[in-house]
Amino acid sequence: MARADRERWDTRHRARREETHDRPHPFLAWVASQPVYAKLFPPSGRALDVAGGAGRNAVWLARRGLEVTLVDISPVGLERAERAARRAGVAMSLVASDLEEEPLPAGPWNLVVCTDYLQRSLFPRIAASLAPDGLFLFAQPTRANLARHPRPGPRFLLEEGELARRVPTELEILFCEEGWTEEGRHEARLLARRR
């Protein structure tokens, strides 16, 4: 499975044009813009971008002054992230890893971001890797998304109400919501803090 996943993502990254990385995932930008959450958002410290691909979240976080590590299975995605970081004039660490087989990069993390990647077994590992008061930001389409979009397929979709049930007890839920986004996707979105 790991080799097939790596090849699939490498192919997708090759097919896409290089991104400008002006904008992170919409939920990440929204959280950082909301006064109630922005004051909790770390102005410095260590951030982990899980399955960060070509680096749109990682570059944005590095521009904000965080020490960012991006972990992804795709060497092509990591090459693109490295080029994007150079163009943006920021530094970040890049880790090639199959998270289904290998551990997360060592924490503690002040912020962990995981968007558009679903691996249910990571939730407890992410919670354990957070520093006290560290934030976990997560966004993933739900099964309702299939009403408008054929992808991602059912294997990569959350069930209705599943996200809130998956949050480990070490985390305090600050925001958890499901619904159609302005971008036209049905997503579950979570912001949680390590107790």
Side-chain angles (χ1 to χ4, degrees):
M1 183 65 77
R3 182 175 179 180
D5 285 344
R6 184 177 303 110
E7 290 172 356
R8 179 170 49 90
W9 280 107
D10 282 348
T11 300
R12 282 190 189 175
H13 286 300
R14 282 188 195 102
R16 292 178 180 160
R17 63 180 175 80
E18 293 274 337
E19 297 178 38
T20 60
H21 295 85
D22 291 333
R23 295 182 178 175
H25 187 280
F27 182 54
L28 177 55
W30 180 84
V31 166
S33 73
Q34 300 301 303
V36 67
Y37 305 124
K39 66 183 181 186
L40 304 175
F41 208 85
S44 61
R46 299 179 71 216
L48 177 65
D49 187 5
V50 175
R56 86 184 222 185
N57 293 330
V59 168
W60 188 83
L61 292 167
R63 283 180 172 153
R64 293 178 63 93
L66 292 160
E67 180 187 328
V68 181
T69 298
L70 183 156
V71 59
D72 197 273
I73 195 170
S74 168
V76 175
L78 292 170
E79 288 169 13
R80 288 191 167 204
E82 182 178 34
R83 286 194 299 270
R86 274 198 312 268
R87 282 193 306 269
V90 296
M92 71 174 73
S93 298
L94 301 169
V95 178
S97 180
D98 174 6
L99 294 174
E100 292 184 7
E101 302 291 331
E102 300 172 63
L104 285 170
W109 303 103
N110 302 101
L111 173 66
V112 175
V113 173
C114 183
T115 61
D116 299 320
Y117 177 71
L118 180 60
Q119 183 183 329
R120 292 167 173 91
S121 64
L122 280 181
F123 281 71
R125 292 161 51 191
I126 288 170
S129 75
L130 285 169
D133 291 326
L135 296 179
F136 174 39
L137 183 142
F138 178 84
Q140 180 68 20
T142 68
R143 193 168 287 275
N145 195 59
L146 291 172
R148 295 185 189 171
H149 307 286
R151 290 176 56 187
R155 175 180 159 216
F156 304 104
L157 297 171
L158 288 164
E159 299 295 333
E160 184 177 334
E162 179 183 355
L163 181 56
R165 295 189 304 267
R166 292 236 170 239
V167 178
T169 57
E170 307 95 297
L171 300 182
E172 170 192 9
I173 296 175
L174 304 175
F175 178 92
C176 188
E177 187 175 278
E178 291 181 18
W180 291 102
T181 67
E182 290 180 14
E183 299 76 32
R185 293 172 16 130
H186 197 277
E187 277 187 348
R189 294 175 164 191
L190 170 76
L191 180 66
R193 175 172 55 189
R194 178 74 187 257
R195 297 181 193 276

